[in-house]
Amino acid sequence: MEEKRASKQCGGVLPFFIGVLASLIIGWWVFPQVLYSQKAQPFNFSHKVHVDGEGMDCESCHTYAEDGSFNGLPSNAVCADCHSEDVLGDTKDEEIFVTEYLQKDKEVPWLVYQYQPDNVYFSHKAHEGFECTDCHPDLGNSDTLPAYYENRISGYSKQTMKMWQCERCHAEVGTSNACYICHK
Amino acid sequence: MHNHIDFETRYVMCVDIDKCTGCGACMVSCQAENNIAPMEDGSNKLKTLTWMLVYELNNGKNFPDREVAYLPRPCMQCENPACVPVCPVVATAKDEEGGIVSQIYPRCIGCRYCMAACPYHARYFGWFDPKWPEGMDKTLSPMTSTRPRGVVEKCNFCHTRLMNARQRARQEGVDPLKMPEDWYQPACVESCPSGAITFGDINNPEHKVHELAHSKYAFRLLEKLGMDPQVYYISRREWVRKQADHHTAEEKH
Ligand code: SF4
Ligand code: SF4
């Protein structure tokens, strides 16, 4: 009698390991898949064509305002400096840009990989000494834009910089890590 | 018990009580600057929010000897804040140049220990989710992040303006620790129609507050507690100065 119950309770180690395995798979693979929705950019933009092909650098389009604050994404007006009304190249993407956005006077709703939450104050001016790619994905050499992953709960991008990354660098270079250095 | 930091810059506010007419422009501009949503029932003072609050004082006499004065009260950004050591999650701290006491909303767990500790009643609890009537949400300012209900908030001397000023200093090649006075002024200071509030770095001899704070008419609230507020008041009227601290009848001061 005793023996029987013991063996029934135990059920072998197999169910236990199956449980652990299932939890691991759910935790490490299924949940992250479910948590982020994948979004595509309105159309593809090749940084490489502009950098390698046209000899432009980051600052040709990504600039500061007079007070040192970052200007955000280049607007249609910046693109129109070269892509006036006509399609220059032969890619489908450029055609989409010119006909769907430029000619219709509509700004492109780019998805920004690195938008920070509202309570973060970030000054590009203060970080001018660093390479853009120390924090940003190195898109300058890529032909395609990566997929954008949006956290379904918070709405933030998965690719955005995390607080521990900011803090680690501040600690390494000896900058203060006081809350009000970055928060508002 | 406190770990005092000697900041190179220490931003202070000097309020000339004799110039304050109690109009409340500072309160209004503060609410606009810091995204404080209109209250559903503004008359319920237990549940409303005002980072900057104007108090009315009087000399306790009857007409014709009665006198009144108005005292605007932001957070004092105390040198030895009572609110900081009590916070169990370090959501509030005094650790950055300028000496402004920070308050990080996503980190705050809403326990309200800091509210109980602050003798100046400078901290407020958000009882309701902020709601902006349609159309008014367009007035939301990028200067301050909005808070959900359930966390504590307080005046931070419009801290984002300091960050913006520092950014400008970097752009123009000025030392961010030695900026001209007018580069960084909080909203209330800017909007005061009678010029009662002066603001600047007390350690910088070129800033007006450097001298004002040492005027013989200058005082701080509850100085006896030793919290060393970074807000100074000025009044040439003795009865006003007397009300700044608690005094017992027998006490000689
Ligand atoms: S006035 Fe109150 S909230 Fe402000 S620093 Fe002093 S103790 Fe803290
Ligand atoms: S209410 Fe928030 S800031 Fe205040 S002591 Fe509690 S956790 Fe800290």
Side-chain angles (χ1 to χ4, degrees):
Chain A
M1 199 62 191
E2 276 292 303
E3 253 168 44
K4 218 178 179 184
R5 198 200 278 155
S7 75
K8 217 181 194 172
Q9 256 179 1
C10 203
V13 283
L14 198 63
F16 175 73
F17 279 115
I18 291 175
V20 169
L21 199 66
S23 312
L24 286 177
I25 292 173
I26 290 171
W28 285 96
W29 193 77
V30 179
F31 183 68
Q33 296 287 316
V34 177
L35 185 60
Y36 297 101
S37 66
Q38 194 174 332
K39 289 186 171 170
Q41 297 283 2
F43 56 88
N44 186 49
F45 177 88
S46 167
H47 280 88
K48 197 174 174 156
V49 165
H50 294 82
V51 176
D52 283 356
E54 304 300 323
M56 299 164 76
D57 49 22
C58 311
E59 288 78 27
S60 306
C61 306
H62 301 283
T63 53
Y64 295 129
E66 243 170 66
D67 63 358
S69 63
F70 194 62
N71 260 349
L73 295 184
S75 62
N76 278 359
V78 175
C79 307
D81 276 348
C82 300
H83 301 261
S84 43
E85 291 294 300
D86 304 314
V87 185
L88 300 173
D90 48 14
T91 64
K92 183 95 189 106
D93 295 304
E94 193 205 353
E95 197 187 314
I96 298 178
F97 169 65
V98 174
T99 55
E100 293 298 312
Y101 296 98
L102 198 57
Q103 286 172 2
K104 291 188 183 158
D105 209 8
K106 223 169 76 186
E107 292 293 334
V108 186
W110 295 113
L111 299 165
V112 180
Y113 303 105
Q114 297 220 302
Y115 269 153
Q116 287 290 326
D118 181 43
N119 65 317
V120 177
Y121 183 101
F122 181 84
S123 163
H124 277 91
K125 190 75 206 171
H127 296 84
E128 225 174 13
F130 295 92
E131 288 297 321
C132 308
T133 49
D134 285 347
C135 306
H136 289 283
D138 190 1
L139 292 185
N141 297 314
S142 85
D143 240 340
T144 50
L145 295 173
Y148 173 93
Y149 292 94
E150 186 187 86
N151 186 314
R152 287 184 211 265
I153 298 172
S154 69
Y156 295 128
S157 154
K158 186 186 182 182
Q159 288 109 317
T160 196
M161 193 109 163
K162 308 294 184 299
M163 187 164 120
W164 64 265
Q165 294 172 297
C166 307
E167 283 186 303
R168 188 173 64 181
C169 189
H170 273 215
E172 278 169 6
V173 302
T175 298
S176 163
N177 257 327
C179 308
Y180 263 9
I181 289 289
C182 311
H183 284 291
K184 62 176 179 154
Chain B
M1 141 97 189
H2 63 265
N3 24 2
H4 185 92
I5 306 177
D6 270 325
F7 297 111
E8 211 176 315
T9 52
R10 206 151 56 85
Y11 281 98
V12 310
M13 193 177 272
C14 272
V15 187
D16 192 325
I17 292 188
D18 299 343
K19 285 187 191 160
C20 174
T21 60
C23 72
C26 53
M27 293 173 62
V28 174
S29 61
C30 171
Q31 306 216 346
E33 172 87 2
N34 295 301
N35 292 328
I36 296 175
M39 310 287 155
E40 225 156 80
D41 176 9
S43 66
N44 183 352
K45 294 304 173 204
L46 287 174
K47 301 211 165 166
T48 49
L49 271 169
T50 32
W51 292 8
M52 173 61 129
L53 183 61
V54 178
Y55 287 81
E56 188 190 313
L57 314 174
N58 67 64
N59 63 353
K61 297 195 179 131
N62 287 331
F63 179 83
D65 299 319
R66 189 176 181 87
E67 271 184 53
V68 294
Y70 297 96
L71 182 139
R73 194 260 21 238
C75 165
M76 307 281 142
Q77 321 295 350
C78 309
E79 281 274 295
N80 311 309
C83 56
V84 167
V86 298
C87 179
V89 294
V90 205
T92 179
K94 188 186 180 86
D95 53 1
E96 197 222 320
E97 265 310 323
I100 295 169
V101 175
S102 62
Q103 175 71 14
I104 306 301
Y105 319 116
R107 193 162 195 165
C108 172
I109 53 172
C111 68
R112 289 174 275 163
Y113 287 174
C114 55
M115 282 173 70
C118 170
Y120 300 103
H121 295 253
R123 289 175 166 269
Y124 290 87
F125 184 70
W127 288 94
F128 311 104
D129 269 326
K131 273 196 207 94
W132 280 266
E134 215 190 305
M136 221 182 130
D137 48 357
K138 303 235 168 17
T139 67
L140 272 164
S141 122
M143 301 295 264
T144 315
S145 59
T146 51
R147 288 78 53 190
R149 71 170 185 271
V151 300
V152 163
E153 47 191 87
K154 69 164 190 77
C155 153
N156 57 16
F157 278 1
C158 295
H159 183 258
T160 303
R161 292 185 175 217
L162 171 57
M163 313 264 258
N164 288 345
R166 284 192 183 143
Q167 182 160 265
R168 176 175 168 194
R170 289 192 179 96
Q171 175 84 349
E172 298 186 17
V174 173
D175 181 355
L177 297 178
K178 292 199 179 58
M179 295 186 289
E181 184 176 303
D182 58 342
W183 283 20
Y184 167 37
Q185 296 286 307
C188 56
V189 180
E190 247 174 29
S191 69
C192 175
S194 48
I197 318 181
T198 316
F199 186 84
D201 173 12
I202 197 171
N203 294 344
N204 186 338
E206 280 160 32
H207 289 198
K208 289 198 269 315
V209 289
H210 180 76
E211 208 140 296
L212 277 178
H214 298 113
S215 128
K216 67 173 172 173
Y217 299 121
F219 61 94
R220 291 176 292 178
L221 299 184
L222 305 177
E223 259 178 280
K224 273 207 280 187
L225 296 179
M227 289 168 57
D228 268 343
Q230 285 181 207
V231 176
Y232 290 77
Y233 293 91
I234 292 174
S235 178
R236 291 140 208 92
R237 290 176 282 180
E238 212 199 329
W239 71 263
V240 174
R241 294 201 298 272
K242 256 193 189 155
Q243 291 192 11
D245 235 319
H246 290 307
H247 296 289
T248 52
E250 316 83 59
E251 197 182 314
K252 294 193 176 57
H253 44 261

